[in-house]
Amino acid sequence: MTYPKFTFDYPDNWTVTKEEVTSDREIVTLSNTEGAEVTFSTYFYGKDFNFSYGASVFGRVEVTEADGSQFVPSTVQGTDHSDLGEFMVAKLHQTGVMYITNGDSNYRDIDGETEYAVIPKSEIGTKTELSGHYEGEFAFWYNAFVSFIGRDKDGDFTVQEQQEVISILNSFRLA
């Protein structure tokens, strides 16, 4: 099986802190000294794989465009993925939560975490019933699940960190 190679750029103050390659996934994490991370993940699971793990909490996330993206989908193993359309660096801001185990049937408004991801522009809008990890929820199918997500583990991105994360994500492209 052949699979395309991806590449991305990152500033000198970021380092590769995790590299994991197995038969079913590849994960590369970049970190800065302040706790911000950018994680590239490819999961070679079937297209119908469920990342939610039977979750009892649903999230609501507002997806907006933070920047453009250098990633242009093409053909992988004979499958044309150009129908994914134009990509962007998206701002993912959690605006609601619903606890199923508590009997909630409506979202509670929150001002939750903000993360950034490379996804198709067609994903702009409000996403509900998100129950899995963002690596699955905001992945795109490219003959495997691919995600490229930036987050701050402390939830307090500085302006510089936001700019660096967006720049790293923007640089994602085919090698």
Side-chain angles (χ1 to χ4, degrees), residues 6-10 28-30 37-42 69 71 88-90 92 115-119 134-135 138-140 145-151 165-173:
F6 300 102
T7 190
F8 49 86
D9 306 317
Y10 57 94
V28 177
T29 301
L30 302 172
E37 295 182 341
V38 175
T39 301
F40 166 79
S41 306
T42 302
S69 173
F71 180 69
M88 66 179 170
V89 175
L92 311 172
E115 298 185 9
Y116 295 88
V118 175
I119 56 176
Y134 276 15
E135 286 85 0
F138 293 101
F140 56 93
F145 290 102
V146 176
S147 71
F148 199 38
I149 295 179
R151 70 180 54 86
V165 165
I166 290 169
S167 179
I168 293 167
L169 294 173
N170 169 281
S171 73
F172 177 71
R173 62 200 180 276

Side-chain angles (χ1 to χ4, degrees), residues 28-84:
V28 177
T29 301
L30 302 172
S31 301
N32 71 6
T33 57
E34 304 302 316
E37 295 182 341
V38 175
T39 301
F40 166 79
S41 306
T42 302
Y43 294 95
F44 297 100
Y45 303 151
K47 191 172 184 175
D48 295 328
F49 183 79
N50 181 356
F51 284 90
S52 69
Y53 311 114
S56 59
V57 178
F58 284 152
R60 181 181 66 213
V61 173
E62 191 64 33
V63 178
T64 58
E65 184 174 358
D67 198 5
S69 173
Q70 294 182 40
F71 180 69
V72 177
S74 61
T75 300
V76 178
Q77 300 169 356
T79 302
D80 181 6
H81 290 280
S82 62
D83 62 337
L84 288 170

Side-chain angles (χ1 to χ4, degrees), residues 68-162:
S69 173
Q70 294 182 40
F71 180 69
V72 177
S74 61
T75 300
V76 178
Q77 300 169 356
T79 302
D80 181 6
H81 290 280
S82 62
D83 62 337
L84 288 170
E86 192 175 350
F87 273 66
M88 66 179 170
V89 175
K91 179 179 179 180
L92 311 172
H93 181 73
Q94 187 175 9
T95 61
V97 64
M98 181 172 28
Y99 296 95
I100 305 303
T101 55
N102 292 349
D104 285 355
S105 58
N106 295 308
Y107 284 93
R108 297 176 193 183
D109 292 336
I110 64 168
D111 183 14
E113 294 183 358
T114 296
E115 298 185 9
Y116 295 88
V118 175
I119 56 176
K121 283 188 175 187
S122 61
E123 295 294 318
I124 290 174
T126 302
K127 303 298 178 192
T128 58
E129 298 185 13
L130 301 175
S131 57
H133 300 285
Y134 276 15
E135 286 85 0
E137 298 285 4
F138 293 101
F140 56 93
W141 181 253
Y142 204 66
N143 279 37
F145 290 102
V146 176
S147 71
F148 199 38
I149 295 179
R151 70 180 54 86
D152 190 328
K153 292 192 319 188
D154 301 330
D156 61 353
F157 271 129
T158 65
V159 171
Q160 180 176 338
E161 285 175 327
Q162 285 177 336

